[in-house]
Amino acid sequence: MTIEKDKVVNFHYRIKDLQGTELESSFGHDPAAYLHGHNNMMIGIEKALEGKQKGDEFSVELPASETFGEVKENAEQRISVKHLQGEKNKKWKPGMTAVVHTDKGAMEVSIVKVGKFMVTVDTNHPLAGQTLLFDLKVEEVRAASQEEIAHGHAHGVGGHQH
């Protein structure tokens, strides 16, 4: 089955910088899952996977505009320390990353400044502004259920859990 609109795609990825340093990987874990053609995957990844099939394995270099976006100026916000999520009992320091839940879902942020009750975070994704290398391996391609199409996302492992 070929990857096209309304197909659920399960795939593994490895993200590297242009020097080849691995930054993140799903290999050794559950694969990522998404509903192709419904704007819930990075545009560069979706374009790279279009037309591929189960078992296809390849690498692609993608600009920031097609992955985590360009760096946005004035993207700092002050928030309560209690909203930071990460390792339990972590002592937050500048340069660390954390997850903050927003009305648009989870957002990864970088810690800029830490006070007793408040922190300043940069809401740019930590990989924003970078051209990145992606190693991709298609694990499964299947037709989406009518419910998945209606909801606009894949269900199950690697996808959305209701």
Side-chain angles (χ1 to χ4, degrees):
M1 186 174 291
T2 301
I3 297 174
E4 59 189 14
K5 186 172 174 63
D6 295 338
K7 300 291 191 247
V8 172
V9 181
N10 289 60
F11 71 101
H12 278 293
Y13 64 90
R14 180 176 296 109
I15 305 172
K16 298 183 282 189
D17 62 21
L18 294 180
Q19 290 71 46
T21 303
E22 184 175 305
L23 305 172
E24 186 177 318
S25 176
S26 71
F27 289 91
H29 305 283
D30 287 331
Y34 77 99
L35 178 59
H36 194 80
H38 289 260
N39 299 319
N40 52 20
M41 178 51 59
M42 293 175 201
I43 191 160
I45 298 296
E46 196 163 55
K47 287 189 327 189
L49 288 169
E50 178 84 25
K52 301 289 193 266
Q53 298 178 27
K54 179 180 178 174
D56 286 351
E57 200 167 350
F58 61 99
S59 297
V60 62
E61 182 178 310
L62 297 171
S65 62
E66 294 187 359
T67 58
F68 297 102
E70 300 296 344
V71 173
K72 296 178 188 118
E73 298 299 321
N74 302 318
E76 291 185 359
Q77 291 184 354
R78 285 186 45 82
I79 62 172
S80 173
V81 172
K82 69 182 180 183
H83 293 299
L84 298 179
Q85 296 193 347
E87 295 177 31
K88 285 193 175 230
N89 302 318
K90 181 180 263 189
K91 179 148 175 60
W92 297 106
K93 295 178 183 168
M96 293 177 139
T97 60
V99 173
V100 176
H101 290 281
T102 71
D103 57 350
K104 296 178 183 174
M107 174 187 289
E108 192 171 354
V109 297
S110 299
I111 310 289
V112 177
K113 184 178 176 184
V114 181
K116 188 170 184 175
F117 301 107
M118 301 292 285
V119 294
T120 302
V121 298
D122 183 342
T123 60
N124 283 300
H125 188 281
L127 298 177
Q130 297 183 48
T131 297
L132 299 166
L133 301 170
F134 289 80
D135 297 329
L136 303 170
K137 182 178 182 189
V138 181
E139 294 293 336
E140 182 184 5
V141 181
R142 66 171 174 81
S145 69
Q146 289 304 312
E147 182 180 43
E148 287 172 316
I149 293 169
H151 290 181
H153 57 249
H155 293 164
V157 175
H160 195 287
Q161 306 292 329
H162 284 278

